[in-house]
């Protein structure tokens, strides 16, 4: 279900949206890191005063990667000849030369830090509206404990979208952590709803045997009422899963007494065949080592998903035009791909109503 190959001169990436470029904690004051996004080599850095910035990773003088240099005050210095660039991409210092030509600059990409995430705009900078960056308040809520990670997936970004929008694979790929009875998963109706800016998928599994991670985290001794609520927005997915003891209000809005796991999934194309996967898992059970247990078992499940995605990518790469079958549980992924296709048409100027 990958994005069809782009025609000559056509982008295979959605450009005018906010993507996750990293975690804020990755950049301490004075730190910088190289990162490729949408085939564009970038340098992300934090000034000594604490501001974050993103520039193309190529000095305008002799094409040296700026990520090999160092942060000096509010600037990043090229390690080759010492040219310094401000956060807006303008060269502000050339050693042994007072005059700085106006062409001495590199491309700047809008970068905003919010809710512990670094959000980047890869398209037209004039269209970048920080107010459009989504909220993820669970990263700031003391009632939730969370951990985060960054995986480099050797697979196309849309394979990851497909995986996260369809959780019916859980009993097969993740039986030791968050899986469960395969028949129950496939008997569970999947409701998919088109939102103004995305797609929502909901699944309810009443009277279920709790999977191992749920038992370890919440101590469930009997059957539970489970839920899976997934929302896709370009370009991240939020997944709320969890369970309460049977008949205690899980489906009536009262879940405070149960286990909730709130996952954030930032999906950022690195290249056509590789993807940055920035994810966090928050839980409402904050006592003791439970947050670490939930994170470690979640990390194990996501590593299992990564293995699957990379095997898929290798097979798809052999026959990229070969069609793949949809089944009933693909309803959420199918609506999401249709939504993404509308965004691509709008990007090409064919369907402005989808923008």
């Amino acid at each position: 279900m990958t994005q069809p190959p782009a025609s000559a001169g056509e982008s295979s990436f959605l450009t005018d949206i906010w993507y996750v470029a990293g975690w804020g904690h990755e950049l301490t004051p004075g730190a910088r890191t190289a990162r490729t996004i949408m085939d564009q080599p970038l340098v992300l850095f934090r000034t000594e005063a604490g501001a974050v910035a993103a520039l193309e990773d190529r000095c305008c003088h002799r094409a040296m990667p700026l990520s090999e240099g160092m942060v000096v005050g509010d600037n990043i210095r090229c390690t080759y000849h010492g040219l310094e660039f401000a956060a807006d991409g303008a060269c502000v210092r050339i050693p042994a030369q007072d005059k700085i030509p106006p062409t001495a600059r590199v491309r700047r990409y809008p970068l905003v830090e919010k809710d512990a995430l670094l959000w980047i705009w890869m398209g037209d900078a004039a269209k970048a509206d920080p107010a459009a960056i989504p909220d993820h308040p669970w990263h700031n809520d003391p009632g939730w404990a969370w951990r985060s990670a960054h995986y480099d997936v050797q697979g196309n970004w849309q394979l990851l979208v497909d995986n996260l929008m369809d959780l019916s694979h859980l009993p097969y790929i993740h039986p030791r952590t968050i899986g469960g009875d395969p028949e129950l998963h496939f008997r569970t109706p999947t409701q998919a709803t088109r939102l103004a800016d995305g797609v929502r998928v909901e699944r309810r599994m009443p009277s279920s045997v709790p999977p191992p991670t749920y038992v370890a985290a919440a101590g469930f001794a009997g059957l539970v009422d489970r839920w899976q609520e997934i929302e896709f927005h370009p370009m991240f997915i939020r997944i709320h899963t969890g369970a309460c003891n049977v008949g205690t209000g899980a489906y009536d809005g009262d879940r405070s007494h149960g286990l909730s796991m709130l996952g954030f999934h930032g999906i950022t194309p690195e290249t056509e065949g590789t993807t940055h996967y920035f994810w966090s898992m928050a839980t409402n059970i904050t006592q003791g080592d439970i947050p670490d247990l939930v994170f470690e078992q979640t990390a194990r499940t996501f590593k299992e998903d990564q293995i699957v995605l990379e095997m898929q990518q290798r097979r798809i790469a052999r026959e990229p035009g070969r069609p793949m079958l949809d089944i009933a549980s693909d309803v959420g992924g199918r609506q999401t791909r249709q939504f993404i296709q509308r965004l691509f048409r709008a990007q090409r100027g064919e369907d402005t109503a989808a923008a």
Side-chain angles (χ1 to χ4, degrees):
M1 308 296 180
T2 56
Q3 174 65 30
S7 303
E10 178 184 329
S11 174
S12 57
F13 307 118
L14 294 170
T15 53
D16 287 338
I17 58 176
W18 289 100
Y19 285 92
V20 178
W23 292 101
H25 67 76
E26 293 181 277
L27 294 179
T28 57
R32 83 279 183 209
T33 188
R35 184 146 295 159
T36 297
I37 297 178
M38 295 186 190
D39 285 323
Q40 301 301 311
L42 309 176
V43 57
L44 312 181
F45 68 97
R46 189 184 294 275
T47 69
E48 293 181 359
V52 295
L55 304 176
E56 62 174 309
D57 197 10
R58 175 190 170 115
C59 181
C60 61
H61 175 224
R62 288 294 182 264
M64 183 68 183
L66 293 174
S67 58
E68 294 296 323
M70 62 183 296
V71 175
V72 181
D74 292 336
N75 309 322
I76 188 165
R77 176 187 293 165
C78 180
T79 192
Y80 197 3
H81 294 91
L83 278 72
E84 293 184 17
F85 298 87
D88 64 358
C91 181
V92 294
R93 181 175 183 268
I94 301 178
Q97 179 176 325
D98 293 331
K99 184 177 181 180
I100 300 175
T103 54
R105 62 182 307 114
V106 297
R107 182 176 177 182
R108 165 245 180 192
Y109 295 83
L111 186 70
V112 176
E113 187 169 14
K114 180 179 180 181
D115 297 331
L117 291 152
L118 301 176
W119 293 89
I120 195 166
W121 184 274
M122 297 297 294
D124 182 353
K127 298 179 180 178
D129 179 8
I133 297 174
D135 297 321
H136 195 71
W138 296 270
H139 283 167
N140 305 308
D141 188 337
W144 293 75
W146 62 279
R147 308 287 187 271
S148 64
H150 171 205
Y151 289 173
D152 291 308
V153 179
Q154 303 301 299
N156 178 273
W157 59 272
Q158 191 145 2
L159 287 176
L160 183 52
V161 173
D162 290 339
N163 175 274
L164 294 168
M165 293 303 295
D166 170 25
L167 300 187
S168 66
H169 70 275
L170 264 57
Y172 298 102
I173 305 300
H174 314 301
R176 296 182 300 277
T177 53
I178 59 173
D181 175 27
E183 289 303 314
L184 173 64
H185 276 271
F186 272 95
R187 288 197 309 268
T188 299
T190 300
Q191 296 182 334
T193 305
R194 169 72 191 273
L195 306 175
D197 62 342
V199 175
R200 178 180 171 86
V201 171
E202 185 172 353
R203 289 159 53 87
R204 292 182 174 182
M205 291 171 282
S207 300
S208 302
V209 175
T213 296
Y214 288 25
V215 173
F220 292 118
L223 299 181
V224 298
D225 291 335
R226 293 182 64 180
W227 64 85
Q228 297 173 338
E229 297 164 353
I230 315 166
E231 286 194 5
F232 167 85
H233 304 274
M235 186 58 71
F236 76 100
I237 293 173
R238 187 178 288 130
I239 302 179
H240 184 199
T241 58
C244 294
N245 287 316
V246 168
T248 57
Y251 305 137
D252 300 320
D254 181 10
R255 298 173 177 176
S256 59
H257 56 285
L259 168 68
S260 281
M261 297 169 56
L262 202 294
F264 175 91
H265 307 267
I267 302 164
T268 302
E270 180 183 42
T271 67
E272 181 64 28
T274 60
T275 304
H276 294 292
Y277 180 22
F278 301 99
W279 65 270
S280 72
M281 181 57 67
T283 177
N284 65 329
I285 300 180
T286 61
Q287 299 85 2
D289 62 354
I290 296 302
D292 290 327
L293 181 148
V294 169
F295 173 80
E296 289 164 5
Q297 296 206 7
T298 302
R300 187 191 311 167
T301 67
F302 291 170
K303 279 296 183 183
E304 291 169 342
D305 283 326
Q306 182 176 0
I307 292 170
V308 168
L309 297 178
E310 292 177 353
M311 288 192 290
Q312 287 179 273
Q313 182 65 44
R314 288 193 290 271
R315 286 295 176 265
I316 290 169
R318 290 176 61 89
E319 299 178 87
R322 184 171 176 176
M324 290 180 282
L325 178 71
D326 267 2
I327 59 175
S329 59
D330 292 320
V331 58
R334 182 166 55 251
Q335 287 201 22
T336 302
R337 290 191 299 274
Q338 292 169 351
F339 179 81
I340 290 170
Q341 286 304 311
R342 283 193 284 270
L343 294 179
F344 270 107
R345 289 197 295 272
Q347 183 167 289
R348 295 192 296 264
E350 300 171 5
D351 182 7
T352 55

